[in-house]
Amino acid sequence: METGELNHYAARYKAELLDNIIPFWTKHSPDMEHGGYFTCLSREGDVFDTDKFIWLQARQVWLFAMLYNEVSPKTEWLHLAIDGAEFLKKHGRDTSGNWYFSLTREGKPLVQPYNIFSDCFAAMAFGELYKACKSNEYRQIAVDTFHNILKRRTATKGIYEKQVPGTRPMMNFALPMILCNLSLILEDVVGNQSIEQQVTELANTILSTFYQKESGLILENVSPEGHFVDSFEGRLLNPGHSNESMWFLMDIGTRFKRPELIQQATDILLRTTEYGWDKQHGGLFYFLDIKGHPTQQLEWDQKLWWVHLETLIALAKAYKLTGNTACRDWFETVQDYSWKHFKDPDYGEWFGYLNRQGEPLLTLKGGKWKGCFHVPRAMFQLWRILEA
Amino acid sequence: METGELNHYAARYKAELLDNIIPFWTKHSPDMEHGGYFTCLSREGDVFDTDKFIWLQARQVWLFAMLYNEVSPKTEWLHLAIDGAEFLKKHGRDTSGNWYFSLTREGKPLVQPYNIFSDCFAAMAFGELYKACKSNEYRQIAVDTFHNILKRRTATKGIYEKQVPGTRPMMNFALPMILCNLSLILEDVVGNQSIEQQVTELANTILSTFYQKESGLILENVSPEGHFVDSFEGRLLNPGHSNESMWFLMDIGTRFKRPELIQQATDILLRTTEYGWDKQHGGLFYFLDIKGHPTQQLEWDQKLWWVHLETLIALAKAYKLTGNTACRDWFETVQDYSWKHFKDPDYGEWFGYLNRQGEPLLTLKGGKWKGCFHVPRAMFQLWRILEA
């Protein structure tokens, strides 16, 4: 950090990652009997449900492989990643190579491959693990899955799509957003050249199609031509999603030397954080309607861990890359809120779901959607950004 | 009401229905240009979204036809019902006679017929409207739709089913529950004999399969043999759903002279209301986990209008039919909460969605799921139960 003002926080994030978060997952999460991980963990770390959700299995494989690659080549971490990968390899796909959404503890398929993000996180997992152990089998799974995602990208839900085609087509922000991140992770795995072209296109799609100039905000769903659609889906804002994608764009801007991309991402990040902040109770809203109408999502006013942690990563990166002091100020505000409300003072890991007032709504440390991913990734990212 | 203690409330519900709720919908809801109804209405009654959801279109047809049949043969009410029915008849079904989930304002299909409750509410609407105007065309739509529901009942989602068959089969409570109510409404439309047999089977299914003896509660999802399944779905309780179905069972008990059914429904109602009541802030929870684990539903602690109104109907019926004073006491408690928190003191209709503390979470009067149905049906039911 050029100004040196925030790097005293680096040690705090490093310690939180290595002394609190990772030990929680290495202790409570491994399924010694059937392989893979338990992710539904109570406040104290007890397993309350044994189903295995592909998103969370794959994200945990990625996380431990990434720690092995980026922090320290600990055998324990590599073994944990391989144990999850073997479970996924054996049970995770249907006969066409599509990744299921969830499995039983033993690995029997429960929910069909209707959700392409299962595939995205699987590609991310096997790509990162290939870098760790150079297994060509893992590399091939990553490459095949990545190509399958690209093949399915215009009709991601396949036969499970409930929208009637043609009436009011819309594009969703999530896939291009996640592909930005996934493409960089897989750069050395699938080959550099195609990746550079692809991320350039993805960044353009986000900034020309989903970005709305008048409001300065990212829309979650737009028409294929990038127009606003006045419907529940079309009016939807997801500040956490938008902020997370801004640090993906900053990474692309850094990797391919595009300072104007970093600048634009910083502007959108600041605008979104200001817009999404709850002036009454603090914290960032989960969902908003751009016209101020009621959202479909009843959980709109809740404060979610990943929204705040992804925003912190983006603000820290933006400050480091641009020196814009508004990023530093917002970083301090979001950081204060996060440590005060999400960190559990009595048990390991962080709370995930708070009500609008900032009190725990669910005291779980892991569930169907919260696993070993956003908290440790953020701790790692913030440690490295802030110490530099 | 035998004891005469509660009948002073009857006038209050009658007035609320006729002077507040119905005028709100007749004023703000009709789409004069394209037919059908607007249901997404702000606190003041302004239209904020124009999509047409089949559940809500059909429920509103039923409601106005029912008012015409049961309260007063007002031409305005009949015309409003017919206007919605014509819109549904023209635009609501695919070529196989399945009802879409939603349409654009003009009637173009938006979401495919993945949801059998669209069909249930359509059958309810056309059946009730047939009784009002004796149109054989409407009768035929009701009968065809009803038979199609029965044909689809073991695989309600058809090709949109995402559960992998065989791994962990489960039955959901909603369809047998709604069929209890629908069957009585259609008794004179489809023929009495088959209905009596059917509702007997449905009541048995609910009380032998979904009812859990140890807890005294109704489970939302059970194995096909009626066993508890220790998963998110299997642990789920929905007190409002359970209480609503208890008054359907009481109606069946009354119609077919089965006092033991009324007794059992009353016991389950009291047990569920006690269990589902928020001892800290008042009101009934939306969802609970029977083992006390975190639910999947982030909205679990919210207080919803229909949960409270359906519970009031059930408690009033139970008190009237059994004289059990615990029903009267709970009626007073739930009634106090409902009028205090759900009724809007400044504008028409009632709020639908409160946070745990009882404050409006969304100030809408109608949306994607709240239409002209639970509030007026409850006002009508309570008026009639309490004045008797």
Side-chain angles (χ1 to χ4, degrees):
Chain A
M1 188 137 291
E2 283 136 16
T3 59
E5 283 167 325
L6 293 180
N7 63 11
H8 58 283
Y9 294 130
R12 185 190 195 189
Y13 287 104
K14 179 182 177 185
E16 190 68 6
L17 175 69
L18 299 177
D19 303 338
N20 174 8
I21 307 301
I22 294 306
F24 181 90
W25 292 98
T26 52
K27 180 172 179 194
H28 299 295
S29 175
D31 180 353
M32 302 300 193
E33 198 176 328
H34 294 279
Y37 318 112
F38 299 118
T39 65
C40 294
L41 301 172
S42 73
R43 185 176 181 191
E44 298 85 357
D46 298 326
V47 177
F48 68 86
D49 195 276
T50 60
D51 283 357
K52 289 176 178 159
F53 306 97
I54 301 293
W55 281 35
L56 301 201
Q57 298 293 314
R59 282 167 156 190
Q60 188 159 345
V61 170
W62 174 82
L63 195 280
F64 279 99
M66 184 279 286
L67 289 179
Y68 180 88
N69 292 334
E70 305 289 336
V71 176
S72 167
K74 284 197 187 185
T75 315
E76 184 199 4
W77 291 347
L78 185 63
H79 282 177
L80 255 171
I82 288 174
D83 185 62
E86 287 296 314
F87 182 85
L88 282 172
K89 188 183 88 182
K90 195 164 167 196
H91 304 292
R93 289 163 294 178
D94 72 7
T95 50
S96 309
N98 302 309
W99 291 85
Y100 290 111
F101 180 75
S102 63
L103 313 171
T104 63
R105 180 181 174 186
E106 297 78 14
K108 284 189 205 149
L110 276 170
V111 175
Q112 301 281 13
Y114 78 97
N115 185 302
I116 201 167
F117 303 107
S118 296
D119 305 72
C120 291
F121 296 121
M124 191 169 159
F126 283 94
E128 191 74 35
L129 189 55
Y130 161 70
K131 295 185 218 170
C133 65
K134 302 295 175 205
S135 151
N136 273 322
E137 188 186 15
Y138 293 162
R139 181 184 170 278
Q140 201 56 50
I141 294 175
V143 171
D144 290 348
T145 301
F146 187 64
H147 289 144
N148 196 29
I149 293 165
L150 298 181
K151 209 173 69 187
R152 284 170 61 189
R153 68 192 288 188
T154 53
T156 62
K157 293 186 186 169
I159 59 168
Y160 306 102
E161 179 57 72
K162 293 184 294 198
Q163 298 293 322
V164 175
T167 302
R168 191 167 67 198
M170 274 195 264
M171 297 198 308
N172 180 267
F173 179 60
L175 188 58
M177 169 207 160
I178 286 184
L179 284 177
C180 283
N181 182 240
L182 179 59
S183 299
L184 285 192
I185 289 171
L186 296 184
E187 188 176 0
D188 301 331
V189 181
V190 299
N192 305 21
Q193 217 162 9
S194 65
I195 290 294
E196 178 165 4
Q197 193 196 333
Q198 182 161 310
V199 295
T200 303
E201 281 170 23
L202 288 165
N204 288 346
T205 299
I206 289 173
L207 295 173
S208 65
T209 308
F210 292 96
Y211 174 66
Q212 193 191 47
K213 221 172 178 176
E214 312 88 271
S215 64
L217 299 168
I218 297 281
L219 297 167
E220 274 291 295
N221 299 285
V222 293
S223 80
E225 301 78 28
H227 296 148
F228 173 66
V229 180
D230 196 352
S231 67
F232 281 104
E233 293 80 11
R235 294 190 299 270
L236 189 66
L237 299 173
N238 183 332
H241 231 189
S242 178
N243 286 352
E244 183 176 359
S245 68
M246 290 308 118
W247 74 257
F248 296 166
L249 290 187
M250 291 176 211
D251 280 0
I252 292 172
T254 304
R255 169 71 187 80
F256 297 109
K257 302 196 174 48
R258 291 186 53 192
E260 86 292 353
L261 195 57
I262 292 168
Q263 190 51 57
Q264 200 173 350
T266 302
D267 293 343
I268 298 173
L269 166 66
L270 285 169
R271 168 77 181 128
T272 304
T273 305
E274 167 70 31
Y275 191 93
W277 189 255
D278 180 354
K279 277 83 186 169
Q280 199 180 340
H281 296 282
L284 289 156
F285 288 117
Y286 189 9
F287 293 108
L288 291 167
D289 180 293
I290 199 165
K291 294 178 86 174
H293 297 318
T295 59
Q296 285 186 77
Q297 289 79 7
L298 297 181
E299 64 272 30
W300 72 276
D301 72 344
Q302 296 174 10
K303 310 295 163 62
L304 269 69
W305 84 108
W306 67 265
V307 171
H308 294 75
L309 292 171
E310 297 302 323
T311 299
L312 278 179
I313 297 172
L315 289 164
K317 272 192 209 278
Y319 182 51
K320 178 167 176 170
L321 293 168
T322 69
N324 183 329
T325 55
C327 297
R328 185 199 59 202
D329 296 344
W330 268 115
F331 180 86
E332 296 275 9
T333 302
V334 179
Q335 178 175 247
D336 287 349
Y337 182 90
S338 300
W339 282 81
K340 183 173 170 198
H341 295 278
F342 288 107
K343 180 174 167 61
D344 183 345
D346 299 320
Y347 296 93
E349 249 278 352
W350 286 32
F351 294 122
Y353 302 90
L354 312 178
N355 64 15
R356 182 168 180 183
Q357 291 76 26
E359 303 153 345
L361 173 81
L362 302 172
T363 56
L364 60 75
K365 296 299 167 51
K368 184 171 173 178
W369 304 101
K370 182 176 191 284
C372 179
F373 185 64
H374 286 287
V375 177
R377 183 173 76 169
M379 300 297 140
F380 168 75
Q381 282 275 342
L382 291 166
W383 159 24
R384 291 299 168 90
I385 298 163
L386 296 169
E387 80 170 358
Chain B
M1 189 137 289
E2 283 137 14
T3 59
E5 283 167 324
L6 293 180
N7 63 10
H8 57 283
Y9 293 130
R12 184 190 195 187
Y13 286 105
K14 180 182 177 185
E16 190 68 6
L17 175 69
L18 300 177
D19 303 338
N20 174 9
I21 307 302
I22 294 306
F24 181 89
W25 292 98
T26 53
K27 181 172 178 194
H28 300 294
S29 174
D31 180 354
M32 302 301 192
E33 199 176 328
H34 295 279
Y37 318 111
F38 299 118
T39 65
C40 294
L41 301 172
S42 73
R43 183 175 182 190
E44 298 84 357
D46 298 327
V47 177
F48 69 86
D49 195 276
T50 60
D51 283 356
K52 288 176 178 157
F53 306 97
I54 301 293
W55 280 36
L56 301 201
Q57 299 293 312
R59 282 166 156 190
Q60 188 158 346
V61 171
W62 174 82
L63 195 278
F64 278 98
M66 184 280 286
L67 289 179
Y68 181 87
N69 292 335
E70 304 290 334
V71 176
S72 167
K74 284 196 187 185
T75 315
E76 184 199 5
W77 291 346
L78 184 62
H79 282 177
L80 254 171
I82 289 174
D83 185 62
E86 288 296 313
F87 182 85
L88 282 173
K89 188 183 88 184
K90 198 165 164 194
H91 304 293
R93 289 163 293 178
D94 71 8
T95 49
S96 309
N98 301 309
W99 292 85
Y100 290 112
F101 181 75
S102 64
L103 312 171
T104 63
R105 181 182 172 185
E106 297 78 14
K108 284 189 205 148
L110 276 171
V111 175
Q112 302 281 13
Y114 78 96
N115 185 302
I116 201 166
F117 303 106
S118 297
D119 304 72
C120 291
F121 296 120
M124 190 170 161
F126 283 94
E128 192 74 35
L129 189 54
Y130 161 71
K131 295 185 218 170
C133 67
K134 302 296 175 206
S135 151
N136 274 321
E137 189 186 16
Y138 293 162
R139 181 184 169 277
Q140 201 56 51
I141 293 174
V143 171
D144 292 346
T145 300
F146 187 65
H147 288 143
N148 196 28
I149 293 165
L150 298 181
K151 208 173 70 188
R152 284 170 60 189
R153 68 192 287 187
T154 53
T156 62
K157 294 187 187 171
I159 58 167
Y160 306 102
E161 180 56 73
K162 293 184 293 199
Q163 297 294 322
V164 175
T167 302
R168 191 166 67 198
M170 274 194 264
M171 297 199 307
N172 180 267
F173 179 60
L175 187 59
M177 169 207 161
I178 286 184
L179 284 177
C180 283
N181 182 241
L182 180 59
S183 299
L184 284 193
I185 289 172
L186 295 184
E187 187 176 0
D188 301 331
V189 182
V190 299
N192 305 22
Q193 217 161 8
S194 66
I195 290 294
E196 179 165 2
Q197 194 197 333
Q198 182 161 312
V199 295
T200 304
E201 282 170 22
L202 287 166
N204 288 346
T205 299
I206 290 173
L207 295 173
S208 66
T209 308
F210 292 97
Y211 174 66
Q212 192 191 47
K213 223 172 177 177
E214 311 89 90
S215 63
L217 299 166
I218 297 282
L219 296 167
E220 275 293 295
N221 300 286
V222 292
S223 80
E225 301 78 28
H227 297 149
F228 174 67
V229 179
D230 196 355
S231 67
F232 280 104
E233 295 79 10
R235 292 190 300 269
L236 189 67
L237 299 173
N238 183 332
H241 231 189
S242 177
N243 285 354
E244 183 176 359
S245 68
M246 290 308 118
W247 75 256
F248 295 167
L249 289 187
M250 291 176 211
D251 280 0
I252 291 170
T254 304
R255 170 69 188 81
F256 297 109
K257 303 199 176 43
R258 292 185 54 193
E260 86 292 354
L261 195 57
I262 293 167
Q263 191 51 58
Q264 200 172 352
T266 302
D267 294 342
I268 298 173
L269 166 67
L270 286 170
R271 167 77 181 129
T272 304
T273 305
E274 167 70 31
Y275 191 93
W277 190 254
D278 180 355
K279 277 82 186 169
Q280 198 179 343
H281 295 283
L284 289 156
F285 288 116
Y286 190 7
F287 293 108
L288 291 167
D289 180 292
I290 200 165
K291 294 178 86 174
H293 296 319
T295 59
Q296 284 186 77
Q297 291 79 6
L298 297 182
E299 63 273 31
W300 72 275
D301 71 344
Q302 295 174 10
K303 310 294 163 64
L304 268 69
W305 84 108
W306 68 265
V307 171
H308 294 75
L309 292 171
E310 298 302 324
T311 299
L312 279 179
I313 297 172
L315 289 165
K317 272 192 209 276
Y319 182 51
K320 178 168 175 169
L321 294 167
T322 69
N324 183 331
T325 55
C327 297
R328 184 199 59 203
D329 296 343
W330 268 115
F331 180 87
E332 296 276 8
T333 302
V334 179
Q335 178 176 247
D336 288 349
Y337 182 91
S338 300
W339 282 81
K340 183 172 171 197
H341 295 277
F342 288 107
K343 180 173 167 63
D344 183 345
D346 299 320
Y347 296 93
E349 249 277 351
W350 286 31
F351 295 122
Y353 302 90
L354 312 177
N355 64 16
R356 181 167 180 182
Q357 292 76 26
E359 303 153 344
L361 173 81
L362 301 171
T363 57
L364 59 76
K365 295 299 167 50
K368 184 170 174 179
W369 303 101
K370 181 176 190 285
C372 180
F373 185 64
H374 285 289
V375 177
R377 182 174 77 169
M379 300 296 141
F380 168 75
Q381 283 275 342
L382 291 166
W383 160 23
R384 291 298 170 91
I385 299 163
L386 297 169
E387 80 170 358

